[in-house]
Amino acid sequence: MMPVESAQPFIKPMQSSPSVSPIQRRHTLPASEVRPLNTQDAISVFEIEREAFISVSGECPLHLDEVRHFLTLCPELSMGWFEEGRLVAFIIGSLWDQERLAEEALTLHKPRGSTVHIHVLAVHRTFRQQGKGPLLMWRYLQYLRCLPYVRRAVLMCEDVLVPFYRKSGFRSLGRCAISVANLTFTEMWYPISGHAYMRRNSEAIRFPQALSVHPPLSVPPALSKPLAQTEESSEASDV
C-alpha cells in the first residue's frame, strides 16, 4: 500500500513531538481500576449515593459522616470501580457478629465478626444499564472468599430488589428487623466458603493488607463476565 505522504504529496503530514508520544499524553490514568476506597473518596461516594437513593426512597443508606466512619475503620471491606480516575460504582461493607441484622448494624463495625454487612451498592447515573452493578457485586463476593475470617455476607433491600440479589447468589432470610422511616426490607445472605474463583489470564485486583485484627488479605483475582442486568434501579440499591 502506498504511504499517505506519497499518495498526497501536497499535504504535509502532522508531526508529533519527539519527547511525548500521543499514547503517553492520552493515557495518564488507568482506563479501568478496582481498588478499596479511602476517606479521600468519601465525598465522591456520597454524591453518587445521594443521587441514586434520595430521588427513589428519600433516604440514604449512609450519610457522609457514616461513609467516612466505615472507610476509616474497615476500608478493606469496600470496593470502588474507577474509570480514568473517576469513581463510577462502589460497595461499602463492615463486619457484624450476629446471625441476623439489628439496628446497631447500621452504624457499628464489629472487628471480630465473621459476617460482612453490605451497606450500600451504587452506580453513577451515567454508567447505569451497563452491567456494572452486578459485575462489581460479583467481584466483591469473590474477593470476600480470600478473607479467611469471613463466613457469610448479608444485606437488607427493598422487596423490588430481591430478584436482583438472587441473581447474584443471595438467599432470602425473610423480613428484616430493621426499618427506616416507613420503609421495610428483606434480609438476604450469601455463603462465603472455599477459595476464590480463579480465571485464566486474569489480572490481580491488588488490595492492601487488612487494617483490622484479622490475618492479612490474600490477593484476590480479577473477575469478568457480568451477571444478568435488571432494571436501572437495581444498580442503585438500598442495602
Side-chain angles (χ1 to χ4, degrees), residues 40-59:
Q40 294 179 337
D41 301 313
I43 292 178
S44 296
V45 165
F46 184 66
E47 287 176 350
I48 293 174
E49 182 194 14
R50 180 173 56 186
E51 186 278 330
F53 289 93
I54 291 295
S55 61
V56 176
S57 64
E59 295 284 342

Side-chain angles (χ1 to χ4, degrees), residues 5-93:
E5 291 86 350
S6 301
Q8 302 179 22
F10 301 106
I11 299 177
K12 184 177 180 180
M14 295 181 63
Q15 300 293 329
S16 300
S17 170
S19 58
V20 182
S21 71
I23 293 178
Q24 288 175 324
R25 289 199 304 268
R26 193 177 302 120
H27 299 291
T28 57
L29 291 169
S32 184
E33 178 187 21
V34 175
R35 65 164 174 82
L37 299 166
N38 56 57
T39 53
Q40 294 179 337
D41 301 313
I43 292 178
S44 296
V45 165
F46 184 66
E47 287 176 350
I48 293 174
E49 182 194 14
R50 180 173 56 186
E51 186 278 330
F53 289 93
I54 291 295
S55 61
V56 176
S57 64
E59 295 284 342
C60 279
L62 298 175
H63 297 292
L64 180 57
D65 58 339
E66 294 168 334
V67 171
R68 290 193 175 109
H69 171 72
F70 288 119
L71 294 185
T72 298
L73 293 179
C74 48
E76 72 279 3
L77 296 177
S78 69
M79 184 175 282
W81 186 334
F82 294 81
E83 295 284 354
E84 296 185 350
R86 178 187 183 187
L87 182 66
V88 301
F90 70 88
I91 292 174
I92 292 179

Side-chain angles (χ1 to χ4, degrees), residues 39-211:
T39 53
Q40 294 179 337
D41 301 313
I43 292 178
S44 296
V45 165
F46 184 66
E47 287 176 350
I48 293 174
E49 182 194 14
R50 180 173 56 186
E51 186 278 330
F53 289 93
I54 291 295
S55 61
V56 176
S57 64
E59 295 284 342
C60 279
L62 298 175
H63 297 292
L64 180 57
D65 58 339
E66 294 168 334
V67 171
R68 290 193 175 109
H69 171 72
F70 288 119
L71 294 185
T72 298
L73 293 179
C74 48
E76 72 279 3
L77 296 177
S78 69
M79 184 175 282
W81 186 334
F82 294 81
E83 295 284 354
E84 296 185 350
R86 178 187 183 187
L87 182 66
V88 301
F90 70 88
I91 292 174
I92 292 179
S94 65
L95 287 176
W96 183 240
D97 59 358
Q98 299 177 29
E99 287 296 314
R100 299 292 299 266
L101 292 174
E103 197 77 28
E104 294 81 5
L106 298 179
T107 56
L108 295 183
H109 167 60
K110 299 284 192 174
R112 298 188 182 278
S114 60
T115 294
V116 172
H117 173 204
I118 301 174
H119 292 270
V120 56
L121 159 66
V123 179
H124 192 281
R125 64 181 180 275
T126 59
F127 292 88
R128 293 174 195 156
Q129 294 297 315
Q130 298 177 21
K132 283 184 167 55
L135 178 53
L136 186 63
M137 177 59 78
W138 196 41
R139 287 175 181 260
Y140 185 76
L141 294 173
Q142 296 302 320
Y143 163 69
L144 293 183
R145 293 178 184 273
C146 296
L147 308 183
Y149 53 88
V150 175
R151 296 292 176 265
R152 61 204 289 268
V154 298
L155 57 83
M156 47 186 268
C157 67
E158 294 182 71
D159 292 347
V160 68
L161 294 174
V162 169
F164 171 79
Y165 287 111
R166 279 186 176 149
K167 289 179 180 178
S168 296
F170 282 84
R171 307 170 190 174
S172 175
L173 286 170
R175 185 60 56 193
C176 184
I178 303 170
S179 61
V180 178
N182 59 348
L183 298 176
T184 59
F185 306 95
T186 296
E187 188 169 338
M188 307 191 74
W189 75 288
Y190 182 94
I192 305 294
S193 60
H195 298 287
Y197 180 52
M198 301 299 293
R199 299 190 64 86
R200 186 176 298 176
N201 299 326
S202 64
E203 296 179 359
I205 303 173
R206 301 188 181 277
F207 277 69
Q209 289 190 338
L211 303 179

